[in-house]
Amino acid sequence: MASGMCASTVVLLAMVPRGGHIVTTTDCYKETRMFIETFLPKLGITPTLIDASDIAGLQAIVNNHEVSMFFTESPTNPFLRCVDIKLVSEICHKRGTLVCIDGTIATPLNQKALALGADLVIQSATKYIGGHNDVLAGCISGSMKLVSEIRIMHNLLGGTLSPKAAYLLIWGIKTMHLRVKQQNSTTLRMARVLEAHPKVFYTPSVSLSAISGRKLMLPLLLPRATTGRVYYPGLPSHPEHHIAKRKMTYFGGLVTFETTIKFIDSLKIPYIATSFGGCESFVDQPAARNWDVPRDERLKYGLKDNLVRFSFGVEDFDDLKADILQALDTIPTKTSLYSHQNGVVSDKN
Ligand SMILES: *Cc1c(COP(=O)(O)O)cnc(C)c1O
Ligand SMILES: *[C@@H]1O[C@H](CO)[C@@H](O)[C@H](O)[C@H]1NC(C)=O
């Protein structure tokens, strides 16, 4: 398909009937969430959002409603939450609910969602499958029966892969196993370094709107010793590390963590860009990418201004490590208040 978004929207339009019910997770790729939350309701489709680990919640929803599909990423973007695909598939299948996993972040090498019980898997091939940040593509896998139904919707809507994009995918996919292995290694090693680093901060957001009557958020920076957060399924501190260990071969090349945004500007190797999964490292500030979402709303999804998502490429580990450490070093030790210089994203951006 022409893109990952084409794959997810075609699956949803083909598989969820008018008046249907769909369950998805709160942590989710932004455009997918927009489609589910703002477009599907126009077709009379009800979305329910649950936390990735809320198995009891999923059970209650599928038992009490006729749910057409449980649609989720695993790992999710940007917090890399992992869903127990085997367990959710068992729960959903008892009630005739389809399970569709967006496995983009895992890659098809890392996670065999169909073998674990999912009915459908989608991939944004724009990321690791293409692997060179030069092509948009997507794909859908599943049984012949389901894919044939989906193919009809795909033909109706268009979104066909161009020959040039297909050619770039044929090039890119040849090295996917090498890239993914290297990215796993670099990312796990760097995630451990970051988790132990004093400049990786935990910043609880304190809303002063009640006091001042204005929408003013004042996040306080506390040293990592309090509760530093690095979100990576390969770290024992990750809430679904036990699930990731069971279902994933590698833990992937994305890591999300909290620091100050000065960090991003001090980096020399990665591009500041929103995509991921290519040979070049990318760094991204999810709050800036969601500038059109009011801050209170962003915070509901945990998208603090100082959240950083790093996609490791295939550059030399020591070069990347040196670059990240020098960028962390530029953050003053006694950062106590969060200022505009540190990259607060205004609602009026
Ligand atoms: C990038 C991405 C998409 C959308 O893919 P495009 O190819 O950019 O349209 C969907 N889901 C996830 C998890 C992604 O990372
Ligand atoms: C992933 O990388 C880590 C760190 O280098 C390594 O210990 C581990 O063996 C790698 N995993 C696989 C499956 O290669």
Side-chain angles (χ1 to χ4, degrees), residues 28-232:
C28 183
Y29 187 73
K30 181 192 171 193
E31 278 72 25
T32 308
R33 177 168 44 233
M34 270 177 77
F35 186 75
I36 291 174
E37 280 197 314
T38 63
F39 183 77
L40 291 184
K42 290 186 192 170
L43 304 179
I45 294 167
T46 311
T48 302
L49 274 63
I50 60 167
D51 185 87
S53 64
D54 189 6
I55 296 294
L58 176 66
Q59 186 114 47
I61 298 162
V62 297
N63 284 345
N64 297 322
H65 301 270
E66 205 166 303
V67 178
S68 315
M69 182 180 277
F70 176 51
F71 182 103
T72 183
E73 290 152 24
S74 191
T76 62
N77 180 63
F79 289 109
L80 308 167
R81 302 291 305 275
C82 297
V83 173
D84 188 335
I85 299 172
K86 194 159 177 279
L87 182 59
V88 298
S89 300
E90 281 164 16
I91 290 170
C92 288
H93 291 162
K94 277 194 196 123
R95 298 283 302 165
T97 302
L98 289 174
V99 174
C100 179
I101 303 293
D102 179 341
T104 300
I105 293 174
T107 79
L109 280 176
N110 257 338
Q111 173 177 278
K112 314 285 185 197
L114 294 178
L116 290 169
D119 300 284
L120 291 160
V121 175
I122 66 168
Q123 292 281 340
S124 163
T126 308
K127 316 291 167 48
Y128 293 98
I129 297 178
H132 293 74
N133 300 315
D134 56 3
V135 63
L136 277 166
C139 56
I140 300 176
S141 330
S143 68
M144 184 64 88
K145 180 179 172 294
L146 292 178
V147 171
S148 302
E149 278 176 57
I150 292 163
R151 198 186 295 278
I152 296 169
M153 182 62 74
H154 185 215
N155 286 345
L156 293 178
L157 294 177
T160 315
L161 192 67
S162 76
K164 179 162 184 227
Y167 163 84
L168 289 170
L169 288 179
I170 291 169
W171 265 148
I173 204 169
K174 290 178 196 190
T175 54
M176 180 168 69
H177 62 299
L178 301 173
R179 289 183 277 106
V180 166
K181 193 168 175 188
Q182 170 80 6
Q183 283 158 328
N184 158 69
S185 172
T186 301
T187 313
L188 184 55
R189 291 169 73 190
M190 273 318 301
R192 290 177 183 145
V193 171
L194 288 167
E195 196 169 46
H197 201 285
K199 303 280 178 66
V200 174
F201 294 108
Y202 171 67
T203 61
S205 298
V206 184
S207 175
L208 296 184
S209 52
I211 307 164
S212 68
R214 291 173 55 216
K215 287 229 159 80
L216 174 68
M217 302 302 295
L218 184 64
L220 305 169
L221 294 190
L222 302 176
R224 194 248 148 207
T226 333
T227 23
R229 288 313 295 269
V230 177
Y231 304 88
Y232 186 62

